[in-house]
Amino acid sequence: MPLVRIELPQGLTPIEKQALSDSIHRAMVETVNVPEQDKFQIIREHEPADLVIAEEYLGIKHHGPTAIVQIFLNEGRSTALKQALYQRIAESFPQHTPIRIADVIINLVEVKKENWSFGNGLAQYAGQ
Amino acid sequence: MPLVRIELPQGLTPIEKQALSDSIHRAMVETVNVPEQDKFQIIREHEPADLVIAEEYLGIKHHGPTAIVQIFLNEGRSTALKQALYQRIAESFPQHTPIRIADVIINLVEVKKENWSFGNGLAQYAGQ
Amino acid sequence: MPLVRIELPQGLTPIEKQALSDSIHRAMVETVNVPEQDKFQIIREHEPADLVIAEEYLGIKHHGPTAIVQIFLNEGRSTALKQALYQRIAESFPQHTPIRIADVIINLVEVKKENWSFGNGLAQYAGQ
């Protein structure tokens, strides 16, 4: 169910990208009950000028490469669960990339459960 | 009104991309009352490693090139209409591309009707 | 808070892209109470064939390069505020780019205030 759009700076190695993809998915499995097999991500790399980030917002300074993680998922998780997800993504963010956790921006977009088809033209969650 | 983000594997021909773009739009016109002229799509091609898909989810195995279709549209369609849309997209998916319908992932994101401007800075649907 | 996805035709100069990024942000600051420092944008350039736009919709003809601006922001703005935002984006759109304001498409996607983390794994708006 979740569809995750991961926007990254250019220049990460394939291994770094893989570690990052895996760590975000694992955080979702461990905190907001996403099934282990339910992994759907779109990764994009960007030139620095195309990820435009405030130099400072809410007391956090941004001066390095940035990751923006936008997660489309079913509605209904509590604020506490969402907070646990953000914290786990930050805690488990791969430490060998040049991206600091201060520069990991996360946005959730919630949808209804009948708003998904996972292949063959079926609405697998409808009626569940 | 709908804005459709179509994420594709690299290597499709322009004709295949055009057929795919047209077939998705036609499915929307025929099932969920999208006006014929109301076609707004963003197509992106990706390296295989950047479209990360579960090997198997909900009994469907994914092992070929994948298409992810994310549709932003006005709220209020019934579950039955959404199911008809998914089915029509799958049925009418161009058969001469390497993408199998098992590997077509669809996600709907619903918004209010005043959340659109189709040019000139006007909210064309507001107050309708 | 807002996350803005700006989809542009290829071929704009860095100065044009910068002016466009700035003018969209300024319109948000001036009409819908976005904090000055709250600037988060993802800019992408596309080949003409990959931004698929109706030739004419709702009486507006589209025949030039197109910009699609998708804004994810907190829910709750009135229709009047949204209309002011569209109008300001159009009015202040940089005039030295090849994009006409008839070809600026805007879509808003609203989310809850606890759906954001602006770094360090915290939900900065939760509980506000």
Side-chain angles (χ1 to χ4, degrees):
Chain A
M1 160 224 0
L3 174 65
V4 184
R5 292 185 178 273
I6 304 174
E7 319 287 343
L8 298 174
Q10 284 179 336
L12 299 183
T13 66
I15 288 172
E16 287 173 329
K17 282 168 60 177
Q18 178 75 51
L20 213 149
S21 158
D22 288 346
S23 80
I24 292 171
H25 183 62
R26 181 130 306 283
M28 300 184 69
V29 170
E30 294 176 355
T31 60
V32 293
N33 298 316
V34 167
E36 179 75 37
Q37 296 304 319
D38 182 5
K39 188 178 185 186
F40 298 90
Q41 300 177 335
I42 300 163
I43 301 173
R44 295 297 302 180
E45 296 178 74
H46 300 264
E47 294 181 30
D50 290 344
L51 287 181
V52 182
I53 307 293
E55 289 186 17
E56 178 170 352
Y57 186 54
L58 302 176
I60 299 180
K61 295 189 182 185
H62 301 290
H63 46 71
T66 303
I68 299 179
V69 180
Q70 191 173 35
I71 301 171
F72 299 81
L73 78 174
N74 281 344
E75 62 191 6
R77 266 89 175 182
S78 67
T79 298
L81 277 184
K82 293 172 183 175
Q83 289 174 307
L85 172 61
Y86 305 148
Q87 189 178 345
R88 187 65 62 92
I89 288 176
E91 283 172 1
S92 61
F93 206 80
Q95 297 189 350
H96 53 282
T97 84
I99 303 167
R100 304 174 312 139
I101 63 166
D103 300 319
V104 179
I105 312 299
I106 307 168
N107 170 229
L108 309 184
V109 180
E110 293 172 275
V111 305
K112 296 184 191 306
K113 69 184 187 329
E114 63 267 26
N115 285 18
W116 301 93
S117 174
F118 296 99
N120 291 333
L122 300 172
Q124 281 87 353
Y125 291 160
Q128 280 193 342
Chain B
M1 159 227 355
L3 175 64
V4 184
R5 292 184 179 274
I6 304 174
E7 318 287 343
L8 299 174
Q10 284 180 336
L12 299 184
T13 67
I15 288 172
E16 287 173 331
K17 282 168 61 176
Q18 178 75 51
L20 213 149
S21 158
D22 288 345
S23 80
I24 291 171
H25 182 61
R26 182 130 305 280
M28 301 184 69
V29 170
E30 293 176 356
T31 59
V32 293
N33 299 316
V34 168
E36 180 74 37
Q37 297 304 319
D38 182 5
K39 188 177 184 187
F40 297 90
Q41 300 178 335
I42 300 163
I43 301 173
R44 294 298 301 183
E45 296 177 73
H46 299 263
E47 294 180 30
D50 290 344
L51 287 181
V52 181
I53 308 293
E55 289 186 16
E56 179 171 351
Y57 185 54
L58 302 176
I60 299 180
K61 295 190 182 186
H62 302 290
H63 47 71
T66 303
I68 299 179
V69 180
Q70 191 173 36
I71 302 171
F72 298 82
L73 79 174
N74 281 345
E75 62 192 5
R77 266 91 175 180
S78 67
T79 298
L81 278 184
K82 294 172 183 175
Q83 289 174 307
L85 173 61
Y86 305 148
Q87 189 179 345
R88 187 66 62 92
I89 289 176
E91 283 173 0
S92 61
F93 205 81
Q95 296 188 354
H96 53 284
T97 84
I99 303 167
R100 304 175 312 139
I101 62 167
D103 299 320
V104 179
I105 311 300
I106 307 169
N107 171 230
L108 308 184
V109 180
E110 294 173 275
V111 305
K112 296 183 190 308
K113 69 185 187 327
E114 63 266 25
N115 285 17
W116 300 92
S117 174
F118 296 99
N120 292 332
L122 300 171
Q124 281 88 352
Y125 291 160
Q128 281 192 341
Chain C
M1 160 223 5
L3 175 63
V4 184
R5 292 185 179 273
I6 304 174
E7 318 287 344
L8 298 175
Q10 284 180 336
L12 298 183
T13 67
I15 288 173
E16 287 173 331
K17 283 168 59 177
Q18 178 76 51
L20 213 151
S21 158
D22 288 345
S23 80
I24 292 171
H25 183 62
R26 180 131 306 281
M28 301 185 68
V29 170
E30 292 176 357
T31 60
V32 293
N33 300 315
V34 167
E36 180 74 37
Q37 297 304 320
D38 182 4
K39 188 177 186 186
F40 298 89
Q41 300 177 336
I42 300 163
I43 301 173
R44 295 296 302 182
E45 296 177 74
H46 300 263
E47 294 180 29
D50 290 344
L51 288 181
V52 181
I53 307 293
E55 289 185 18
E56 179 171 350
Y57 186 55
L58 303 176
I60 298 179
K61 295 190 182 184
H62 301 290
H63 46 70
T66 304
I68 299 179
V69 180
Q70 191 174 35
I71 302 171
F72 298 83
L73 79 175
N74 281 344
E75 62 191 5
R77 266 90 175 181
S78 67
T79 298
L81 277 184
K82 293 172 184 176
Q83 289 174 308
L85 172 61
Y86 305 148
Q87 189 178 346
R88 186 65 62 92
I89 288 176
E91 283 173 0
S92 61
F93 205 81
Q95 296 188 352
H96 52 283
T97 84
I99 303 167
R100 304 174 313 138
I101 63 167
D103 300 319
V104 179
I105 311 300
I106 307 168
N107 171 229
L108 309 185
V109 180
E110 294 174 274
V111 305
K112 296 184 191 305
K113 69 184 187 329
E114 63 266 26
N115 284 18
W116 300 93
S117 174
F118 296 98
N120 291 333
L122 299 172
Q124 282 89 353
Y125 291 160
Q128 281 192 342

